[in-house]
Amino acid sequence: MSKLNLSLGAKVFYANNAYTIVKAVDYNTVTIQSVEDSNILLNVLTKDLSSTEEPQEYNLEQYSEEEWEQARKRYEAIKDLVFRQRSRLEVEECAKENNVGTTTIYTWLRIYEETESLHALVAKKRGKKGGRLDKVVEKIIDDILEEHYLTKQKTRFTKIYRLIKQSCKSLDIAAPHANTVRNRINAIDPKLSMKRREGYKKSHQAFSNFEGEFPEGNFPLDVVQIDHTPLDVMLVDSTHREPVGRPTLTLAIDVYSRMITGFYLSLQAPGYFNVSQCLFQSLMPKDAYLKEENVEGEWNIFGIPRIIHVDNGQDLVSNDMIKVCDDLNITLLKRPVANPQFGAHVERVFGTINQEIHNLLGATFSNVQEKGDYDSIKMATFTLEDLRQWLTQYIVNIYHKRIHHGLDMTPDEKYYQGIFGDDENPGTGILPSIVENEEHIRILLLQTFQRTVQKDGITLDGITYYSDVLRGWINRNDKDGKKIKFKIKRDPMNIQKIYFYDPELKEYFEIFYKKISAPKMTLWDMQASKRYLKERNISNYTEDDIFAAYDILAKLEKEAKEKTSKQKLRKNKSPKMSEQKEKPSPKNETQEDHHLDVLFNNIKTLTIHEKQEAKDI
């Protein structure tokens, strides 16, 4: 993954030749000037530019947690000096504060300013050398710091070091030097240290610079807020038109312009996938998405924000997301507990959207008085797909183009003004930086699983995947003799394949079902198939049973759609034609209107029913 900087004067490559950015023409076009010949000026699409002459892909997965933490500390050391004029004295002071040489600070500055990526600050690996602490000593230090230092007792260093020496002596191993322990304490995150030793309140006061309402963004994509809400409308399924519940909306908003940068709509409770998909849509251009949703209009906000502000739920942010944000130089902030004002901007948008939704069939309304005797379930009409299209249409062609009372202009106009300026406001004149490799970041933001590689492949949720790529990793053990667990990614929208991360080649590979003829499913299709088996008291099912159950449900869905189409056709015929063509008996009408469970009668699937018969014997 790499980031393309589109700021004025930034060096870029077009057709493998070096240029610099001269100005932003529109949201997708910039003027560039040749480095070799200043007389050559070109207007080009940003999608045709790259950050390097020969784009070099790298994978954030290749770095360990320790390496990544080291890179973060190096960036923290130099962040106040990057991209500005600095004196020798400032660099020397920085070097002294971080206990490194002045040349080292200059090297870190050069590397970061050339790449603008945190991964470049990871130390290059060298040959093995002595001096590293024994693992047992490492654990002793960690345990004692956890038990005695990171507590409100505020144990003094002399006692901490004495406890470490005593533990080492009892195991007949050499104790570490006192300075080694001091360095380990200094390396602890100061915010964590204060929180554990002084309490949350003091930590919050010392390290939080926000009071009252969350600060306004100073320019486009300065601050993006992401949050969730249930929408006030009852949805139906696309086959039987039966109510399926209220959807959850995850939405991202640019605080500066109030433009919506992305959203994700689902029938599932808020979780990591909701946030990651919303973030992914926020980062990427949306032309293809609008075409897919059959919505005419422009949705021009995309690119890398400076700050992303998210809900505080532990399951909403993963280490992979943190690593992505680190490398793209995005500050990831979590909303403090019991501080609703920190999400005020996105909350107001939710209120606006729900007010519009109250005009739709199936609206649930916000309170009993407003609802009256309206039957939301009976009136429900919209499917999830219908509502997604409606919401896209509303955002692009209504919300973005309506005067916002807090801006005195439309969000579209405010965003344009923030970049390109007007007679009174100069604007930044800079397009936001963009992600170059869309597919890589899409995979990286998927949920991570850890699995071993067996002779038949990798099994995840009862389904096995195999490819020759796995052959060299079958039953591999680590140096302690334990089975190695590998990093796996899965897209819940298509579980026909998983993404296997090869730790030696340092890249992801697509691994498909071992059973080639198995149907393509979503995660929720698989869960429905398992529920179907469970309802029939089949617990010892195999992946073949899961696929067979899916085929049954797909068949039932197809039959239900055909019956629904026939019923609509009958209703559209005149009474006279209906009488001539077909006069259904009351018994047949009852059969037509029976509950969905009746459709499961007389379905014969060999594997499943054999198991069920065996259970009954």
Side-chain angles (χ1 to χ4, degrees):
M1 181 181 63
S2 52
K3 178 172 69 173
L4 179 62
N5 181 9
L6 298 176
S7 60
L8 302 186
K11 186 177 181 180
V12 294
F13 288 86
Y14 176 69
N16 283 336
N17 293 314
Y19 293 82
T20 54
I21 304 284
V22 175
K23 69 173 182 177
V25 178
D26 58 37
Y27 294 118
N28 300 292
T29 311
V30 292
T31 300
I32 57 176
Q33 183 179 48
S34 172
V35 171
E36 295 182 356
D37 186 349
S38 59
N39 293 318
I40 298 178
L41 293 170
L42 302 173
N43 285 347
V44 298
L45 295 174
T46 54
K47 67 181 183 65
D48 294 329
L49 300 175
S50 64
S51 58
T52 58
E53 184 173 5
E54 295 291 338
Q56 295 178 354
E57 289 303 324
Y58 65 92
N59 197 316
L60 297 182
E61 307 285 12
Q62 69 189 72
Y63 304 115
S64 68
E65 296 299 323
E66 292 76 15
E67 289 173 325
W68 198 255
E69 185 60 29
Q70 179 193 57
R72 293 185 71 175
K73 288 178 180 177
R74 290 180 174 185
Y75 173 72
E76 287 297 318
I78 64 171
K79 67 179 182 180
D80 294 330
L81 299 178
V82 297
F83 297 115
R84 71 172 180 84
Q85 289 185 340
R86 60 239 170 197
S87 66
R88 173 82 181 184
L89 180 60
E90 288 178 308
V91 176
E92 289 175 347
E93 289 177 353
C94 179
K96 186 176 180 180
E97 289 174 4
N98 292 279
N99 198 29
V100 295
T102 304
T103 303
T104 299
I105 296 296
Y106 274 119
T107 300
W108 293 351
L109 287 167
R110 176 183 57 78
I111 290 172
Y112 186 79
E113 289 179 340
E114 286 178 355
T115 62
E116 282 195 73
S117 294
L118 190 140
H119 79 277
L121 292 174
V122 174
K124 299 295 183 285
K125 294 182 179 178
R126 299 177 182 175
K128 292 183 178 180
K129 37 192 287 190
R132 299 189 67 178
L133 288 178
D134 183 272
K135 284 187 177 181
V136 177
V137 178
E138 292 272 9
K139 190 170 189 319
I140 289 172
I141 294 174
D142 290 341
D143 289 346
I144 289 177
L145 291 182
E146 177 70 25
E147 186 176 351
H148 296 279
Y149 181 78
L150 294 174
T151 67
K152 290 185 171 61
Q153 292 179 344
K154 303 176 188 175
T155 307
R156 301 183 66 174
F157 176 79
T158 51
K159 183 177 179 180
I160 294 286
Y161 186 58
R162 186 170 68 250
L163 289 170
I164 292 173
K165 287 177 66 177
Q166 288 173 351
S167 296
C168 290
K169 185 178 180 180
S170 66
L171 295 174
D172 196 25
I173 57 177
H177 192 278
N179 286 340
T180 301
V181 180
R182 286 194 181 92
N183 291 336
R184 185 64 57 85
I185 291 174
N186 291 335
I188 298 173
D189 181 0
K191 185 175 181 179
L192 172 65
S193 180
M194 181 173 285
K195 182 178 178 181
R196 299 279 290 274
R197 289 167 65 87
E198 306 284 348
Y200 169 78
K201 190 173 181 180
K202 282 194 174 183
S203 172
H204 182 69
Q205 291 172 347
F207 292 94
S208 175
N209 60 349
F210 301 123
E211 294 182 3
E213 186 170 308
F214 196 83
E216 298 290 323
N218 297 313
F219 50 83
L221 292 184
D222 184 24
V223 180
V224 168
Q225 288 182 347
I226 300 179
D227 210 343
H228 321 267
T229 193
L231 294 181
D232 295 339
V233 63
M234 184 66 65
L235 300 185
V236 298
D237 70 276
S238 58
T239 302
H240 311 288
R241 314 304 294 184
E242 292 290 331
V244 293
R246 294 169 61 188
T248 296
L249 173 64
T250 303
L251 183 139
I253 182 175
D254 172 41
V255 172
Y256 173 83
S257 67
R258 309 303 200 273
M259 287 274 281
I260 292 171
T261 65
F263 75 91
Y264 181 72
L265 192 68
S266 75
L267 287 166
Q268 286 72 46
Y272 172 70
F273 187 69
N274 304 53
V275 176
S276 66
Q277 293 306 292
C278 180
L279 173 59
F280 181 71
Q281 189 182 69
S282 295
L283 293 172
M284 300 303 167
K286 300 169 182 65
D287 293 343
Y289 171 77
L290 293 179
K291 187 175 181 180
E292 180 182 321
E293 291 294 327
N294 197 27
V295 173
E296 294 185 3
E298 294 182 341
W299 194 354
N300 288 314
I301 188 166
F302 59 91
I304 301 171
R306 186 177 72 89
I307 294 173
I308 292 177
H309 187 234
V310 297
D311 194 2
N312 199 35
Q314 292 184 352
D315 60 335
L316 301 180
V317 175
S318 74
N319 288 333
D320 289 324
M321 181 180 287
I322 293 172
K323 194 174 283 188
V324 168
C325 290
D326 282 344
D327 199 52
L328 295 177
N329 200 23
I330 299 171
T331 299
L332 189 64
L333 297 179
K334 294 184 180 181
R335 177 193 293 189
V337 177
N339 283 270
Q341 70 272 20
F342 276 65
H345 298 295
V346 71
E347 292 289 350
R348 283 194 283 268
V349 177
F350 285 151
T352 300
I353 290 174
N354 265 325
Q355 281 300 316
E356 292 290 340
I357 281 178
H358 291 172
N359 297 319
L360 302 182
L361 291 173
T364 58
F365 301 99
S366 302
N367 55 65
V368 176
Q369 291 78 18
E370 189 178 0
K371 179 179 180 181
D373 58 359
Y374 184 83
D375 192 336
S376 303
I377 294 178
K378 184 177 180 181
M379 298 301 294
T381 303
F382 278 67
T383 65
L384 185 69
E385 294 74 19
D386 295 335
L387 186 61
R388 185 185 299 115
Q389 185 184 44
W390 177 91
L391 194 56
T392 304
Q393 176 74 28
Y394 171 75
I395 290 171
V396 171
N397 293 314
I398 298 178
Y399 174 78
H400 283 169
K401 299 186 182 305
R402 181 186 288 169
I403 298 292
H404 190 287
H405 72 275
L407 301 175
D408 291 328
M409 63 178 68
T410 70
D412 258 343
E413 291 171 336
K414 182 68 173 178
Y415 187 69
Y416 184 91
Q417 180 194 82
I419 294 177
F420 301 102
D422 56 21
D423 293 339
E424 298 179 0
N425 303 282
T428 64
I430 300 171
L431 293 178
S433 298
I434 58 177
V435 175
E436 290 189 271
N437 190 325
E438 182 174 331
E439 179 65 6
H440 178 67
I441 195 171
R442 185 188 72 80
I443 295 173
L444 201 60
L445 286 173
L446 294 175
Q447 185 178 0
T448 299
F449 302 88
Q450 299 286 339
R451 292 292 184 275
T452 58
V453 178
Q454 304 297 323
K455 288 183 178 180
D456 58 347
I458 294 173
T459 301
L460 183 60
D461 286 338
I463 295 177
T464 303
Y465 302 80
Y466 185 79
S467 166
D468 286 342
V469 171
L470 303 176
R471 187 172 295 171
W473 296 107
I474 292 174
N475 289 326
R476 278 280 199 101
N477 296 331
D478 61 19
K479 57 185 178 181
D480 296 323
K482 295 180 180 179
K483 287 279 190 289
I484 298 176
K485 288 189 174 182
F486 298 89
K487 185 169 286 190
I488 308 297
K489 298 278 189 177
R490 179 180 65 186
D491 184 350
M493 302 305 293
N494 177 15
I495 65 169
Q496 187 181 33
K497 61 184 176 182
I498 57 174
Y499 301 93
F500 167 78
Y501 182 71
D502 188 307
E504 287 185 353
L505 299 178
K506 301 191 183 303
E507 62 178 300
Y508 281 102
F509 291 89
E510 293 182 346
I511 312 294
F512 287 84
Y513 290 150
K514 183 179 181 182
K515 185 180 178 68
I516 298 174
S517 60
K520 179 179 178 181
M521 296 190 295
T522 68
L523 177 63
W524 301 282
D525 290 332
M526 180 183 68
Q527 291 170 349
S529 299
K530 289 184 176 181
R531 283 196 301 270
Y532 175 84
L533 296 169
K534 186 177 180 181
E535 287 167 3
R536 278 142 190 82
N537 296 320
I538 300 172
S539 57
N540 60 331
Y541 53 79
T542 66
E543 68 174 27
D544 287 332
D545 298 328
I546 296 173
F547 295 139
Y550 172 80
D551 288 337
I552 291 174
L553 294 176
K555 181 180 178 181
L556 293 172
E557 182 175 350
K558 181 180 178 182
E559 290 175 353
K561 284 183 177 179
E562 290 173 353
K563 289 182 179 180
T564 302
S565 299
K566 288 179 181 178
Q567 286 179 331
K568 288 181 178 179
L569 184 61
R570 291 193 194 103
K571 290 179 180 179
N572 290 333
K573 291 179 181 179
S574 66
K576 187 174 181 181
M577 289 182 65
S578 297
E579 290 174 5
Q580 294 174 354
K581 296 284 185 181
E582 185 178 359
K583 289 186 178 181
S585 65
K587 182 178 179 181
N588 288 336
E589 287 179 3
T590 302
Q591 289 173 345
E592 285 292 333
D593 295 334
H594 61 31
H595 192 270
L596 176 61
D597 283 350
V598 180
L599 292 173
F600 293 119
N601 294 339
N602 302 320
I603 297 296
K604 295 190 181 299
T605 302
L606 184 60
T607 306
I608 294 175
H609 284 274
E610 281 180 347
K611 290 191 174 185
Q612 193 163 5
E613 287 169 6
K615 270 185 103 64
D616 296 337
I617 294 174

